[in-house]
Amino acid sequence: MNNTEPKTIKIFDTTLRDGEQSPGASMNIEEKLRLAKQLQKLNVDVIEAGFPIASEGDFEAVKKVAQTIKGPEIAGLCRAGFKDIDRAWEALKYAEEKGRIHTFIATSDIHMKYKLQMTPAQVLEAAVKGVKRARSYTGNVEFSCEDAVRTDLKFLAEVVGAVIDAGATVVNIPDTVGYTIPFEYFNIIKYLKDNVKNIDDAVISVHCHNDLGLSVANSIAAVQAGAGQVECTINGIGERAGNCSLEEFVMAIRTRGDILPFKTNVVTEQLTPASRLLTQVTGIAVQQNKAIVGANAFAHEAGIHQHGMLMDKSTYEIMTPESVGLKASALVLGKHSGRHAFKKRLEELGHELDEDALNKAFTRFKALADLKKEVYDEDLDTIVADQTKKIDEKYKLSHITVTCGSFAVATATVQMEIDGMQVRTAELGDGPVDATLKAIKKLAKRDAQLLQYNVGSITGGTDALGEVTVRITEGERNPVVGRGSSTDIIEASAKAYIDALNRLYFATDRDVESL
């Protein structure tokens, strides 16, 4: 039996940077800070807070996180150019020695030829100069070889050795396009370990995308080959098919410690609260059968499974729901519950509200409890999301009146407050939702296009709290997601559409590269 102490793998969370680059997942400063505080509770080693040069908003968000969060290192992404690096440190300097400059340049033939239009020698020179510039600010420098897995191995080794000599303390070998498979990735990391003479002077990091559904498997293969840091996101959110899922990687390491001699510093009981908070902030729901944090991850319906669970939970559960932050009961509160019990349950679900937000959330809870026999955890999550989302509001819903029927054309009369002024109009539509959204669009005087409309109930029953998520765009702007909830699905639709219009109005377009 091997009694060697497991190697600690650093967890580098990039939810606020790569995760935010998912279409429609952009976050404002307050939302980023809420998530950063949850990542602090999760005890990740590094929080990549954004891409400071991308926009003024991104710069301020990285700065705010650097000023506020204690414990994890705070990273900011930047290209290898001096302007990018200087801007990154302007934001990161508030984290002092915990600030990490994360600079990168592409190294694959296809990227050098078509994107950068640079020779390998020019790329090598830019990489070294970039790292040296970063080192002039801090000793905490990470360098990434973008599209590393499609890079010629000899050139990759040359770049890695050169940037370590220049002062990089972490070298990232990303699978930028989710192209590699586990044994191949293992061999790439092993090649670097065997052929870069100064490789032990830096930590090898890996950043895997999930285009082939192999990001977690590839990350595990990489640490088996000698990597010491894994870059990942909550819920696996990120560009295209997303990134390595933090919760899946961490729980795989924890659950299979019998054959994987590794550990992390993550407080796994905070995984579910982190997942729920990200869903609330972005409006991007987790699929029901998502590993670890999906609604069905610890659900058992088949009779034979239920029988096994009654005999011994280990028959069908390889980890406990408590280990990832879940509670046993679904029913939590009703209309006779008091404020004290309400506050305690919110805290158990990972929500911390100030007194004003708590009072507003409790008022909303009481109103909902009068409409429903049962109030579930998911209802509470939605109430908190509505009360704590802090986006600027140009448009506010005042009231809606809808008439419709089998032999009547749907008509919606909508009154809104726009820049403090009350305005009202009526529109006909192909159903009550269509009429309502047309009226809102007319009042807002926006040429927004509805890309996606999703409606669902937060819980079961005809009295369920309904939740609507919409995705809209306008012109060349990046899509945004809006979210609304109500026991009235028409009202929920209006709230979601207006939420999206506000986000569209105050959004800052981003056009940045990702690893």
Side-chain angles (χ1 to χ4, degrees):
M1 181 176 177
N2 187 358
N3 292 318
T4 304
E5 178 70 17
K7 176 182 176 181
T8 300
I9 304 301
K10 286 191 171 185
I11 297 299
F12 178 113
D13 183 275
T14 185
T15 303
L16 302 183
R17 198 278 301 170
D18 199 327
E20 193 198 21
Q21 290 173 201
S22 299
S26 60
M27 308 169 215
N28 61 34
I29 294 174
E30 289 299 327
E31 290 167 337
K32 277 198 169 188
L33 193 57
R34 283 181 67 201
L35 275 167
K37 288 178 179 177
Q38 179 58 40
L39 293 172
Q40 180 178 313
K41 290 182 183 178
L42 200 57
N43 201 36
V44 300
D45 297 284
V46 186
I47 298 172
E48 188 166 54
F51 201 141
I53 205 168
S55 70
E56 188 63 29
D58 233 28
F59 174 85
E60 291 298 331
V62 175
K63 178 181 174 181
K64 187 71 172 178
V65 171
Q67 290 173 325
T68 307
I69 300 301
K70 306 301 178 187
E73 296 177 39
I74 308 301
L77 187 68
C78 49
R79 291 163 295 193
F82 287 5
K83 185 178 179 181
D84 273 43
I85 293 167
D86 296 344
R87 186 63 168 163
W89 186 248
E90 281 184 58
L92 293 168
K93 64 184 179 183
Y94 298 95
E96 300 176 344
E97 74 279 357
K98 291 280 190 176
R100 177 184 294 191
I101 295 177
H102 182 191
T103 186
F104 73 97
I105 194 169
T107 55
S108 67
D109 288 342
I110 192 168
H111 275 243
M112 289 190 291
K113 179 179 179 180
Y114 294 108
K115 187 181 75 172
L116 299 178
Q117 297 181 339
M118 294 170 67
T119 66
Q122 290 172 322
V123 166
L124 180 61
E125 180 182 12
V128 169
K129 284 183 176 179
V131 170
K132 288 182 176 179
R133 181 72 166 198
R135 281 290 303 209
S136 71
Y137 293 116
T138 177
N140 193 352
V141 177
E142 176 172 344
F143 178 81
S144 290
C145 304
E146 187 183 9
D147 202 24
V149 304
R150 295 193 295 177
T151 298
D152 175 79
L153 282 177
K154 289 184 178 180
F155 182 58
L156 182 64
E158 184 181 2
V159 172
V160 168
V163 296
I164 293 174
D165 279 341
T169 52
V170 180
V171 286
N172 186 31
I173 312 300
D175 182 10
T176 303
V177 292
Y179 180 71
T180 196
I181 57 177
F183 87 88
E184 181 183 36
Y185 204 38
F186 179 97
N187 288 335
I188 291 172
I189 303 302
K190 188 175 185 302
Y191 178 89
L192 296 176
K193 293 284 287 184
D194 293 342
N195 291 278
V196 178
K197 63 181 180 180
N198 57 355
I199 194 68
D200 291 334
D201 293 336
V203 174
I204 297 177
S205 180
V206 290
H207 178 121
C208 297
H209 278 262
N210 203 40
D211 297 70
L212 294 176
L214 295 170
S215 58
V216 175
N218 285 332
S219 298
I220 291 172
V223 300
Q224 288 178 305
Q229 175 179 282
V230 170
E231 305 190 4
C232 41
T233 60
I234 301 298
N235 294 346
I237 195 173
E239 289 273 10
R240 303 182 313 279
N243 290 267
C244 172
S245 162
L246 184 150
E247 59 275 4
E248 292 178 23
F249 175 81
V250 167
M251 291 309 293
I253 293 297
R254 173 171 167 162
T255 305
R256 294 311 312 273
D258 56 326
I259 59 171
L260 296 172
F262 311 107
K263 64 179 181 178
T264 72
N265 294 319
V266 169
V267 178
T268 61
E269 291 78 8
Q270 292 293 330
L271 289 171
T272 296
S275 171
R276 286 176 170 174
L277 178 58
L278 181 63
T279 294
Q280 293 166 17
V281 167
T282 63
I284 299 176
V286 173
Q287 66 195 61
Q288 294 283 99
N289 63 330
K290 168 76 165 63
I292 315 301
V293 293
N296 294 343
F298 294 91
H300 307 272
E301 185 173 345
I304 191 170
H305 284 215
Q306 292 174 343
H307 177 72
M309 287 292 293
L310 289 171
M311 300 301 291
D312 192 298
K313 289 184 178 180
S314 65
T315 54
Y316 287 101
E317 285 188 351
I318 60 172
M319 66 195 91
T320 67
E322 292 82 4
S323 69
V324 299
L326 284 173
K327 306 295 179 181
S329 61
L331 175 62
V332 291
L333 295 168
K335 68 178 181 179
H336 298 298
S337 299
R339 188 175 181 279
H340 194 72
F342 176 73
K343 180 180 179 182
K344 187 174 186 300
R345 187 58 189 147
L346 289 187
E347 290 173 349
E348 289 173 349
L349 292 172
H351 302 303
E352 292 184 10
L353 305 184
D354 60 35
E355 201 65 21
D356 183 58
L358 179 65
N359 289 336
K360 290 178 180 177
F362 184 64
T363 300
R364 174 87 188 275
F365 157 70
K366 278 294 191 180
L368 180 62
D370 282 335
L371 296 172
K372 298 185 62 176
K373 292 180 179 179
E374 300 174 348
V375 179
Y376 295 88
D377 288 351
E378 293 85 354
D379 295 319
L380 298 180
D381 287 337
T382 301
I383 288 171
V384 172
D386 286 346
Q387 294 303 326
T388 57
K389 68 183 178 186
K390 295 180 180 179
I391 66 166
D392 295 315
E393 289 187 305
K394 176 181 177 69
Y395 312 106
K396 294 181 181 180
L397 178 66
S398 297
H399 63 77
I400 313 168
T401 302
V402 174
T403 59
C404 59
S406 300
F407 300 102
V409 177
T411 306
T413 302
V414 176
Q415 183 165 319
M416 291 172 60
E417 181 183 316
I418 301 179
D419 291 331
M421 299 286 292
Q422 290 290 332
V423 291
R424 182 171 60 179
T425 193
E427 280 289 317
L428 304 177
D430 186 14
V433 172
D434 182 53
T436 299
L437 300 193
K438 280 182 177 177
I440 292 170
K441 184 176 178 180
K442 180 179 178 181
L443 289 173
K445 298 178 181 178
R446 300 301 298 263
D447 190 27
Q449 293 178 293
L450 182 65
L451 302 178
Q452 190 173 353
Y453 172 87
N454 292 318
V455 59
S457 60
I458 304 298
T459 53
T462 56
D463 60 354
L465 189 64
E467 182 177 53
V468 172
T469 303
V470 300
R471 188 162 168 260
I472 69 172
T473 188
E474 186 176 55
E476 298 299 317
R477 300 181 76 83
N478 290 332
V480 297
V481 170
R483 184 173 169 277
S485 61
S486 173
T487 50
D488 182 334
I489 206 62
I490 309 302
E491 182 182 11
S493 301
K495 286 181 176 180
Y497 195 64
I498 289 173
D499 182 42
L501 287 176
N502 278 315
R503 292 176 184 275
L504 192 66
Y505 181 80
F506 289 103
T508 301
D509 286 340
R510 288 174 170 82
D511 184 16
V512 297
E513 298 173 76
S514 70
L515 288 179

